[in-house]
Amino acid sequence: MSDDLHNSVLLSTFSSGNKKYRVIFHKGTIVWGNGKPPIEQESLPLENVISVQHNYTRSRHPSDGEIQDPNHFTINYAKKDEENKWKHHSLTLGHSDPLQVSSWVKTLQNHLQYFKRPKRLLLFVNPFGGKRNALKIYEKYGKPLFQIAGVDVTVNISQRKNQIRDFVLNHNLEMFDSIACVGGDGTVSELFNGLVLRECKTLGIDADDIEQELPKPKIPIGIIPGGSTDTIVYCLHGTIDPTTAVLNIIFGDTLGLDLVSVYDESNLLRLYASVLSYGYLGDVAYHSDKYRWMGPNRYNYSGFKKLMGNRGYEGEVAFFSEVGDLKSSKCYEKCDRCLSRSSNCDKTEKEWRTLKGKFFMISGANITCSCNRSPRGIAPYSHLGDGNVHLVLVRHTSILNNLKLLLRLSSSNQAVDDLPFVETYSAREFCFRAINGPSRWNCDGEVQHQTNIRAKVRCQLLTIFSRGTPKPIETTRKCCGCY
């Protein structure tokens, strides 16, 4: 931002309805208040402003349409509520002098131009995921806000599995500066798998070679939740609120998200962003597909059946593990750990380790895997962009212990990593070999039938629209005898 714009100052008194406000703009912040006791004042960072627009009024002659109101303008902005969700607000200001209005609109619009925000968005909608309401979500929450923000949106409605991946892999995307999707974790996976493979194809890189550095897609992506669990969105924003997701795209702020590439003996199977899970969750994903007509409840039904079966899976896990304290920090907005890894993801010391045994479940969590059903997730200390996956090994045990595990996963104040039959390791790579009775892998909600795999973290391979999960709001609870 230039010094002239950064140091510019505006100060005026405006009317808003029946109230008068003293409004000042200086150093990227708009402040308005009534100026009289009791003083009520609000402060708005410009980075949270969606748009600044002249107001329009209807002409007396219908053929003329709307005409610009020289005496009023509206500031559309976003503000967090008590639950840390972003909400759209607007402030309409009026002044008897049109030059005052024009000066404010022009200055604020010039300032907004210095933010790198999406202008031409390609948006994929998956109408079949989750509750099959992705198009309604876009029409209700996305379309109005994108129009207010002046984002030109091209909507593409997918009709089959892998259509999104194939589209971004084979079509010209030069007219777009950003891509987003409305759907669940599987829809998001299609999108970034297609983008990475597109870069490999363009640069002539063999994606099947695990030793190759995979190229980073140049175009940032956004996600609007429309699936069953929406784990990736929850871990990015701390909520699956669609308005919050849309506003994070409009703001244009980005962060680097790790992806994990999964291989069999000779080929790249896919990349994932949330979790790759073998055993219990792999079987649940496979068998629940038969009950898609049940919607999200199919996971509960299949999960209960597999839990009571209490099958164990023998195998050998080798992992390139990070040496250090696994619980050193949690990942929130402006995370120091992720920011420090943005330029170098191989700072820490690592070593290969091998474990063999009978497991109930093996999960490679790239993110915390938090969601509404599991507020802390299976890996609460995992980071979005530190170049490591958290390998969670659940030993085969009793049905009672399995129930304890699931209860911990659904708890908002307890974690699974202190259970005696659960081990968690931070790893840059890991590989698995089944010894007998193979299961399947659940990869971002999709079933992978190859049992013996090798996975490698690709540090901050994806640029994604998000400011990160906000730190939780601390609340003080009073007992019934306190006043």
Side-chain angles (χ1 to χ4, degrees), residues 289-468:
D289 207 49
K290 303 175 184 177
Y291 309 106
R292 279 194 171 270
W293 56 271
M294 296 176 68
N297 287 327
R298 68 186 184 271
Y299 298 115
N300 297 331
Y301 176 71
S302 297
F304 179 76
K305 288 181 66 176
K306 293 302 168 185
L307 178 71
M308 299 309 294
N310 192 28
R311 183 183 169 190
Y313 311 85
E314 290 191 59
E316 181 181 79
V317 186
F319 49 96
F320 196 38
S321 180
E322 179 173 319
V323 179
D325 183 11
L326 192 67
K327 300 181 180 181
S328 59
S329 65
K330 288 189 176 182
C331 190
Y332 295 117
E333 54 189 339
K334 298 179 181 178
C335 173
D336 290 336
R337 182 178 175 89
C338 294
L339 290 172
S340 68
R341 304 295 175 91
S342 60
S343 57
N344 185 0
C345 277
D346 292 314
K347 288 182 177 180
T348 55
E349 182 184 352
K350 298 177 179 67
E351 61 184 11
W352 277 101
R353 300 183 62 181
T354 303
L355 293 174
K356 186 184 294 186
K358 192 173 186 180
F359 303 95
F360 177 65
M361 182 170 63
I362 296 171
S363 297
N366 184 53
I367 52 182
T368 64
C369 299
S370 304
C371 61
N372 284 337
R373 294 183 178 185
S374 180
R376 290 174 63 91
I378 198 170
Y381 294 92
S382 180
H383 283 251
L384 295 173
D386 70 345
N388 289 283
V389 66
H390 279 205
L391 191 61
V392 183
L393 310 178
V394 182
R395 299 283 183 172
H396 185 245
T397 181
S398 65
I399 293 179
L400 180 60
N401 280 335
N402 293 340
L403 285 170
K404 288 181 180 178
L405 173 74
L406 297 183
L407 288 173
R408 289 286 185 94
L409 284 172
S410 62
S411 172
S412 60
N413 52 23
Q414 289 182 305
V416 301
D417 49 8
D418 60 346
L419 292 170
F421 51 91
V422 177
E423 304 165 37
T424 305
Y425 303 91
S426 179
R428 184 73 172 84
E429 297 181 43
F430 71 93
C431 50
F432 176 81
R433 179 176 64 87
I435 294 178
N436 57 44
S439 175
R440 302 161 186 84
W441 289 95
N442 178 344
C443 186
D444 273 350
E446 301 295 325
V447 177
Q448 289 292 329
H449 295 276
Q450 295 86 342
T451 301
N452 299 337
I453 58 94
R454 184 177 175 186
K456 185 174 183 178
V457 182
R458 307 294 181 165
C459 188
Q460 301 194 17
L461 189 63
L462 194 64
T463 303
I464 198 155
F465 290 115
S466 176
R467 291 180 176 178

Side-chain angles (χ1 to χ4, degrees), residues 197-207 212 215:
L197 292 176
R198 175 190 180 90
E199 291 297 316
C200 290
K201 180 181 177 181
T202 302
L203 299 174
I205 292 175
D206 182 9
Q212 287 273 11

Side-chain angles (χ1 to χ4, degrees), residues 52-69:
V52 180
Q53 301 169 335
H54 281 285
N55 283 19
Y56 287 83
T57 58
R58 288 185 178 180
S59 171
R60 294 180 180 178
H61 302 282
S63 59
D64 293 337
E66 293 185 331
I67 59 174
Q68 183 174 297
D69 179 358

Side-chain angles (χ1 to χ4, degrees), residues 36-103:
K36 297 179 181 179
I39 295 176
E40 297 178 2
Q41 185 170 285
E42 287 200 51
S43 178
L44 173 64
L46 195 66
E47 62 187 19
N48 295 342
V49 173
I50 302 169
S51 67
V52 180
Q53 301 169 335
H54 281 285
N55 283 19
Y56 287 83
T57 58
R58 288 185 178 180
S59 171
R60 294 180 180 178
H61 302 282
S63 59
D64 293 337
E66 293 185 331
I67 59 174
Q68 183 174 297
D69 179 358
N71 298 106
H72 293 86
F73 71 102
T74 297
I75 301 173
N76 289 285
Y77 65 97
K79 185 179 179 182
K80 285 184 179 179
D81 64 12
E82 298 82 7
E83 297 179 337
N84 258 333
K85 297 177 183 177
W86 286 103
K87 300 299 179 185
H88 168 233
H89 297 266
S90 63
L91 175 67
T92 298
L93 300 172
H95 201 286
S96 58
D97 184 359
L99 292 178
Q100 286 284 334
V101 172
S102 176
S103 176

Side-chain angles (χ1 to χ4, degrees), residues 46-229:
L46 195 66
E47 62 187 19
N48 295 342
V49 173
I50 302 169
S51 67
V52 180
Q53 301 169 335
H54 281 285
N55 283 19
Y56 287 83
T57 58
R58 288 185 178 180
S59 171
R60 294 180 180 178
H61 302 282
S63 59
D64 293 337
E66 293 185 331
I67 59 174
Q68 183 174 297
D69 179 358
N71 298 106
H72 293 86
F73 71 102
T74 297
I75 301 173
N76 289 285
Y77 65 97
K79 185 179 179 182
K80 285 184 179 179
D81 64 12
E82 298 82 7
E83 297 179 337
N84 258 333
K85 297 177 183 177
W86 286 103
K87 300 299 179 185
H88 168 233
H89 297 266
S90 63
L91 175 67
T92 298
L93 300 172
H95 201 286
S96 58
D97 184 359
L99 292 178
Q100 286 284 334
V101 172
S102 176
S103 176
W104 272 83
V105 171
K106 184 176 180 180
T107 301
L108 293 178
Q109 287 181 344
N110 285 342
H111 274 69
L112 289 174
Q113 292 298 318
Y114 281 84
F115 294 113
K116 190 176 181 181
R117 292 180 168 180
K119 297 297 182 185
R120 300 177 306 281
L121 175 69
L122 172 61
L123 181 76
F124 293 100
V125 178
N126 176 10
F128 305 108
K131 297 180 181 179
R132 299 175 179 264
N133 60 346
L135 188 57
K136 290 182 179 178
I137 289 173
Y138 167 67
E139 293 286 346
K140 182 177 180 179
Y141 300 101
K143 187 176 181 179
L145 285 174
F146 286 132
Q147 288 178 342
I148 290 171
V151 181
D152 181 17
V153 182
T154 300
V155 178
N156 184 306
I157 301 176
S158 66
Q159 300 297 324
R160 61 173 174 83
K161 188 176 182 179
N162 289 327
Q163 182 178 343
I164 296 174
R165 184 200 65 181
D166 295 342
F167 186 97
V168 299
L169 186 59
N170 299 305
H171 284 72
N172 184 5
L173 304 177
E174 290 182 359
M175 67 285 293
F176 304 107
D177 58 21
S178 51
I179 302 179
C181 63
V182 188
D185 295 334
T187 307
V188 182
S189 180
E190 274 194 45
L191 177 55
F192 64 68
N193 270 273
L195 287 173
V196 174
L197 292 176
R198 175 190 180 90
E199 291 297 316
C200 290
K201 180 181 177 181
T202 302
L203 299 174
I205 292 175
D206 182 9
D208 294 324
D209 183 358
I210 193 171
E211 302 303 328
Q212 287 273 11
E213 288 295 323
L214 295 181
K216 185 172 184 173
K218 299 180 181 66
I219 195 163
I221 76 164
I223 312 169
I224 302 171
S228 299
T229 55

